[in-house]
């Protein structure tokens, strides 16, 4: 078993990292034994307006889940990411922006960031935004995305960032849920040489929901877009009309910082709510220790700011640490598949943090496009978003890292705010494919289906026994849904939705979701969302969606579709349905395979048996388990005979 393959901590890492193996054990033990003492001390890593005297006040009691950290402290997150660095590093680069076109780049110092954020904050204020108001941000990967997010934090507005790949319908649903009246967007985005009609998507979303009174448009491509008089304003016009200075709002540690929508097994995406103090402290601390970030290091997280990884590890973690954070507008294979490594050489990147799906896609192009670049500046490689298969891990390690750079495979979720299970590069021996050990303060537990805690080497469902500062506080506007989703399955514990194995060395191996969430190229979505998009099509009567193993995407989307009476399956209809889902949710949710099936396997009470559909999609139909409870067992033969070819 590949369990036995172990990479030792390199000697130079042991010597110079913040934490070596002995220190990890000592700090971890302390963090568990005395969370109040441990986190109380850590609180001083951020600047408070009023220092907290209380540390942890949390309960997972399913009748009354309540999570508060540092509740009597006050602070401002933007101040921590920008203003507090000015005395020492006003002239230091805060952001390196690398455009989609390799000829486009710029740097922004902390002083410039300070100036730009204040102007943006004043623009928001001038449009009536106040503390506690929700501001929706639908932006490409340009510096103004970061600036607008920090501007919200500065004035105490709650940002809700929507990934630029989402459709007008998805934007509309999120606008409606958080009732935001102000949207920040750009005329168009630019990715891989292609234009993304961001403003047009916002217009279409606004046509579906009322209530938006301001759309602020940053010029990216300069193309002419529809501008609704009285509602739509170009950012650069508004910026000319406001003062240069804007003070930071004093926020309570438990005041909301942002909402980020994420998919679960049922229903509409949930508005995951993060608050200010605990989140910021946790993002900052994990960024420093997991990436062993030292002053002057050039750090690059390739995620989009529309996902939690962008929030915590492009913006709040690195900037609170005074880091140099690279923001990349493009994609790994444009103009060529050497792009990632060329960016590393161009900006002398020391730490790169990316997703297994990108690694697997680049692997297909072989070593050539990597080896023609130097990559000498790289010291540490990171992975996030989905399990990294050992083959991809080894390729990342040997081909990209030239056997020189440790890999930190970081497991966490939108809900967790920051990294929970991860190696620390100076402390942890690495096993390819394992996220290894818990971060400070984190107590993973593996439970069986009945909730019994399993000890030692075992596998089951992954829970976390107690709270950590970066944890989400509620589902926006629906605390009961928060409780039902995360604290009811295994009362008294936070249930992650992931399956997990622990080996004899106490290493954790995340095996993927055990609920109806799929992870396609690191994009998390509920199968129910894709199903409801499909059944919204006039010709579809019923749909069931499952994931299946996909060489590059990790999981692909397999849809079983039953048509309305009288409709005939055809290639055209297949294409039409794929286009339909792209339009309804976004391009990343388009089914890879559609199987037209006259019926779906259902129990006599009418429940679709997804277990069977999953097995057929995985080509494991020799082993379907018990099918005797099916209303019509003959359906299964038809499904097997007409299954879609993966190649
Ligand atoms: C940060 C992020 C969360 C889900 C999570 C799990 C999967 C993330 C992983 C990983 C194995 C890792 N996941 N990191 N699985 N190893 N290192 O991705 O948040 O988009 O909310 O997704 O992603 O299944 O439950 P999010």
């Amino acid at each position: 078993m590949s369990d036995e393959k172990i990479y030792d901590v390199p000697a130079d890492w042991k010597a110079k990292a913040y934490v070596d193996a002995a220190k990890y054990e000592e700090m971890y033990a302390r963090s568990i034994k005395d969370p109040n003492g441990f986190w109380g001390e850590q609180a001083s890593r951020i600047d408070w307006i009023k220092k907290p005297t209380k540390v942890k006040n949390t309960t997972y009691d399913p009748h009354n889940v309540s999570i508060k950290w540092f509740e009597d402290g006050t602070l401002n997150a933007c101040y921590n990411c920008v203003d507090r660095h000015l005395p020492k590093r006003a002239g230091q680069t805060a952001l390196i922006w690398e455009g989609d076109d390799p000829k486009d780049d710029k740097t922004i110092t902390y002083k410039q960031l300070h100036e730009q954020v204040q102007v943006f904050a004043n623009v928001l204020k001038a449009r009536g935004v106040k503390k506690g108001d929700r501001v929706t941000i639908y932006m490409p990967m340009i510096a103004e995305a970061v600036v607008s997010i920090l501007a919200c934090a500065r004035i105490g507005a709650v940002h809700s960032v929507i990934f630029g790949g989402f459709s007008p319908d998805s934007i509309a649903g999120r606008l409606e849920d958080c009732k935001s009246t102000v949207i920040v967007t750009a005329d168009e985005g630019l990715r891989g040489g292609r234009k993304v009609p961001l403003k047009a998507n916002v217009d279409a979303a606004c046509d579906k929901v009322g209530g938006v009174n301001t759309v602020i448009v940053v010029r990216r491509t300069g193309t002419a877009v529809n501008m609704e008089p009285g509602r739509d304003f170009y950012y650069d016009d508004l910026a000319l009309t406001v003062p240069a200075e804007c003070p930071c709002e004093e926020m309570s540690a438990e005041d909301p910082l942002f909402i980020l929508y994420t998919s679960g097994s049922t229903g509409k995406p949930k508005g995951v709510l993060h608050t200010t103090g605990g989140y910021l402290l946790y993002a900052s601390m994990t960024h420093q220790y997991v990436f062993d970030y030292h002053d002057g290091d050039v750090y690059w997280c390739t995620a989009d700011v529309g996902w939690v990884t962008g929030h915590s590890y492009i913006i709040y973690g690195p900037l609170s640490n005074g880091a140099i954070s690279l923001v990349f507008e493009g994609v790994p294979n444009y103009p060529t598949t050497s792009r990632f490594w060329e960016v590393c050489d161009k900006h002398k990147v020391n730490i790169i943090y990316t997703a297994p799906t990108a690694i697997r896609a680049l692997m297909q192009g072989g070593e050539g496009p990597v080896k023609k670049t130097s990559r000498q500046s790289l010291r540490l490689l990171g992975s996030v978003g989905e399990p990294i298969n050992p083959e991809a891990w080894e390729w990342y390690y040997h081909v990209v890292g030239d056997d020189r750079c440790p890999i930190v495979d970081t497991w966490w979720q939108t809900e967790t705010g920051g990294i929970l299970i991860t190696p620390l590069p100076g402390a942890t021996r690495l096993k390819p494919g394992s996220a290894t050990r818990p971060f400070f303060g984190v107590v993973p537990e593996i439970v069986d289906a009945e909730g019994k805690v399993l000890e030692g080497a075992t596998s089951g469902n992954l829970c976390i026994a107690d709270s950590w500062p970066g944890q989400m506080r509620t589902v926006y506007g629906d605390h009961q849904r928060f409780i039902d989703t995360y604290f009811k399955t295994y009362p008294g514990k936070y249930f992650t939705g992931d399956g997990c194995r622990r080996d004899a060395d106490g290493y954790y191996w995340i095996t993927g979701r055990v609920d109806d969430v799929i992870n396609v190229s690191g994009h998390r979505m509920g199968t129910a969302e894709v199903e409801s998009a499909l059944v919204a099509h006039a010709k579809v009567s019923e749909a069931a969606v499952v994931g299946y193993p996909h060489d590059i995407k990790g999981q692909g989307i397999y849809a079983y579709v039953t048509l309305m009476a009288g409709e005939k399956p055809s290639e055209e209809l297949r294409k039409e349905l794929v286009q339909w889902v792209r339009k309804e949710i976004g391009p990343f949710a388009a089914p890879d395979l559609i199987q037209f099936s006259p019926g779906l396997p259902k129990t006599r009470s009418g429940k679709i048996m997804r277990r069977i559909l999953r097995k057929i999609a995985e080509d494991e139909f020799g082993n379907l388990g018990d099918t005797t409870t099916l209303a019509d067992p003959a359906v299964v033969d038809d499904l097997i005979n007409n299954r879609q070819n993966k190649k």
Side-chain angles (χ1 to χ4, degrees):
M1 186 127 203
S2 64
D3 281 19
E4 296 321 313
K5 187 140 196 194
I6 296 193
Y7 289 86
D8 273 323
V9 177
D12 52 330
W13 276 89
K14 257 183 217 166
K16 65 146 256 304
Y18 292 111
V19 176
D20 64 11
K23 181 118 190 261
Y24 167 75
E25 300 298 345
E26 176 202 317
M27 284 175 75
Y28 183 74
R30 160 107 204 279
S31 72
I32 303 306
K33 219 175 359 187
D34 177 19
N36 279 299
F38 181 86
W39 292 111
E41 272 164 34
Q42 286 302 326
S44 64
R45 67 166 36 252
I46 55 180
D47 282 9
W48 299 87
I49 299 169
K50 181 173 163 288
K51 278 204 165 33
T53 64
K54 298 184 183 155
V55 180
K56 182 174 186 286
N57 179 8
T58 68
T59 167
Y60 281 2
D61 172 355
H63 302 293
N64 170 39
V65 176
S66 162
I67 298 161
K68 291 180 183 156
W69 285 87
F70 312 108
E71 59 192 292
D72 64 345
T74 67
L75 75 165
N76 183 280
C78 176
Y79 178 88
N80 273 279
C81 290
V82 184
D83 306 49
R84 73 155 165 170
H85 303 309
L86 295 177
K88 256 178 68 187
R89 40 179 125 239
Q92 182 207 293
T93 299
L95 301 175
I96 299 172
W97 178 76
E98 167 78 11
D100 187 52
D101 182 328
K103 290 194 290 293
D104 277 350
D105 62 20
K106 65 177 174 189
T107 60
I108 295 177
T109 64
Y110 274 96
K111 177 163 181 285
Q112 291 166 330
L113 186 60
H114 185 233
E115 289 161 3
Q116 294 179 20
V117 167
Q118 293 188 88
V119 172
F120 214 116
N122 280 331
V123 163
L124 293 172
K125 274 182 160 174
R127 292 304 306 163
V129 178
K130 297 180 305 298
K131 177 173 175 170
D133 291 350
R134 278 80 54 214
V135 172
T136 293
I137 297 177
Y138 181 67
M139 286 283 264
M141 286 290 286
I142 56 179
E144 287 83 352
V146 179
V147 170
S148 63
I149 286 170
L150 291 170
C152 288
R154 191 170 191 88
I155 62 174
V158 182
H159 53 79
S160 163
V161 183
I162 302 178
F163 171 59
F166 276 111
S167 67
D169 272 356
S170 301
I171 303 169
R174 287 155 172 76
L175 281 172
E176 206 165 27
D177 185 79
C178 75
K179 301 187 179 51
S180 92
T181 60
V182 176
I183 307 181
V184 177
T185 190
D187 46 11
E188 292 178 313
L190 207 52
R191 284 185 88 229
R194 282 202 290 267
K195 293 181 170 159
V196 187
L198 296 174
K199 174 61 167 65
N201 288 348
V202 165
D203 289 343
C206 291
D207 289 344
K208 288 177 201 281
V209 287
V212 172
N213 62 35
T214 300
V215 179
I216 299 171
V217 183
V218 175
R219 287 185 218 258
R220 169 61 187 99
T221 62
T223 191
V225 291
N226 165 56
M227 294 294 278
E228 221 42 59
R231 186 194 73 180
D232 301 352
F233 305 88
Y234 279 111
Y235 174 70
D236 43 13
D237 294 340
L238 296 178
L240 295 174
T241 65
V242 299
E245 279 167 25
C246 173
C248 292
E249 194 74 36
E250 178 169 356
M251 306 299 285
S252 152
E254 285 300 337
D255 279 337
L257 179 61
F258 66 84
I259 299 167
L260 192 53
Y261 287 87
T262 194
S263 300
S265 8
T266 55
K268 288 185 305 183
K270 294 181 283 282
V272 167
L273 184 98
H274 282 287
T275 57
T276 309
Y279 169 82
L280 187 70
L281 186 153
Y282 197 77
S284 152
M285 183 175 182
T286 47
H287 173 262
Q288 182 194 334
Y289 285 103
V290 174
F291 301 106
D292 201 60
Y293 189 86
H294 290 264
D295 266 359
D297 288 345
V298 177
Y299 162 89
W300 178 20
C301 167
T302 71
D304 192 283
V305 291
W307 306 111
V308 74
T309 306
H311 284 57
S312 299
Y313 298 112
I314 293 175
I315 304 178
Y316 289 112
L319 297 182
S320 64
N321 290 333
I324 304 169
S325 184
L326 194 150
V327 175
F328 178 45
E329 186 181 37
V331 295
N333 58 359
Y334 177 83
T336 73
T337 51
S338 292
R339 185 68 191 279
F340 264 17
W341 325 121
E342 283 165 0
V343 172
C344 288
D345 286 352
K346 177 176 174 188
H347 298 292
K348 301 282 173 288
V349 172
N350 304 118
I351 303 162
I352 183 170
Y353 187 31
T354 192
T357 186
I359 298 164
R360 286 191 299 263
L362 295 173
M363 239 171 112
Q364 298 233 318
E367 299 188 4
V370 188
K371 293 300 182 192
K372 67 189 254 211
T373 63
S374 150
R375 288 158 289 107
Q376 270 308 305
S377 57
L378 283 178
R379 254 193 14 243
L380 181 65
L381 312 173
S383 174
V384 61
E386 47 175 321
I388 179 163
N389 48 310
E391 301 70 38
W393 195 104
E394 298 278 359
W395 191 83
Y396 199 20
Y397 186 81
H398 297 297
V399 179
V400 175
D402 289 327
D403 295 0
R404 190 184 66 237
C405 310
I407 296 179
V408 287
D409 173 7
T410 64
W411 175 85
W412 59 296
Q413 311 177 296
T414 306
E415 293 88 337
T416 71
I419 295 164
L420 294 196
I421 302 184
T422 179
L424 298 185
T428 317
R429 302 166 80 201
L430 305 175
K431 299 188 188 187
S434 171
T436 78
R437 307 276 308 273
F439 191 73
F440 307 125
V442 174
V443 186
E445 281 184 342
I446 297 182
V447 302
D448 67 12
E450 280 72 51
K452 183 164 161 292
V453 177
L454 306 172
E455 305 294 338
T458 188
S459 62
N461 298 328
L462 180 65
C463 292
I464 310 293
D466 201 355
S467 183
W468 62 98
Q471 183 170 28
M472 73 182 282
R473 301 304 197 249
T474 192
V475 170
Y476 184 75
D478 196 348
H479 195 62
Q480 193 56 45
R481 190 171 175 203
F482 176 56
I483 297 176
D484 293 345
T485 309
Y486 303 104
F487 302 94
K488 278 267 165 80
T489 324
Y490 303 111
K493 304 180 196 313
Y494 167 77
F495 176 44
T496 65
D498 277 312
C500 181
R501 177 165 74 83
R502 184 173 49 221
D503 69 17
D505 295 329
Y507 275 48
Y508 291 85
W509 302 72
I510 310 297
T511 50
R513 303 289 302 200
V514 293
D515 53 9
D516 290 318
V517 170
I518 50 179
N519 194 324
V520 180
S521 301
H523 294 172
R524 170 174 165 180
M525 70 196 92
T527 51
E529 285 169 71
V530 185
E531 288 163 5
S532 53
L534 283 166
V535 296
H537 190 282
K539 293 180 183 164
V540 174
S541 136
E542 221 177 4
V545 167
V546 297
Y548 71 94
H550 186 288
D551 283 351
I552 293 176
K553 300 177 174 187
Q555 280 188 299
I557 303 180
Y558 196 116
Y560 297 88
V561 170
T562 306
L563 296 175
M564 293 288 188
E567 297 296 342
K568 293 242 156 18
S570 69
E571 266 323 297
E572 288 70 56
L573 183 52
R574 208 187 290 276
K575 286 195 190 119
E576 189 179 320
L577 292 179
V578 170
Q579 278 313 314
W580 175 262
V581 177
R582 289 175 69 94
K583 182 183 87 40
E584 289 279 303
I585 305 177
F588 58 86
D592 297 279
L593 297 168
I594 293 181
Q595 174 169 354
F596 292 112
S597 46
L600 294 171
K602 289 188 189 161
T603 61
R604 276 167 225 142
S605 61
K607 231 171 140 329
I608 295 176
M609 291 185 75
R610 294 167 172 286
R611 176 174 55 83
I612 293 176
L613 295 175
R614 245 180 252 130
K615 289 244 155 106
I616 295 173
E618 288 165 4
D619 288 333
E620 296 220 353
F621 42 87
N623 166 30
L624 289 181
D626 184 10
T627 55
T628 53
T629 54
L630 284 176
D632 177 11
V635 167
V636 173
D637 293 329
D638 176 79
L639 288 171
I640 293 176
N641 293 334
N642 292 306
R643 70 188 184 279
Q644 298 296 296
N645 192 346
K646 311 279 150 30
K647 293 291 164 219

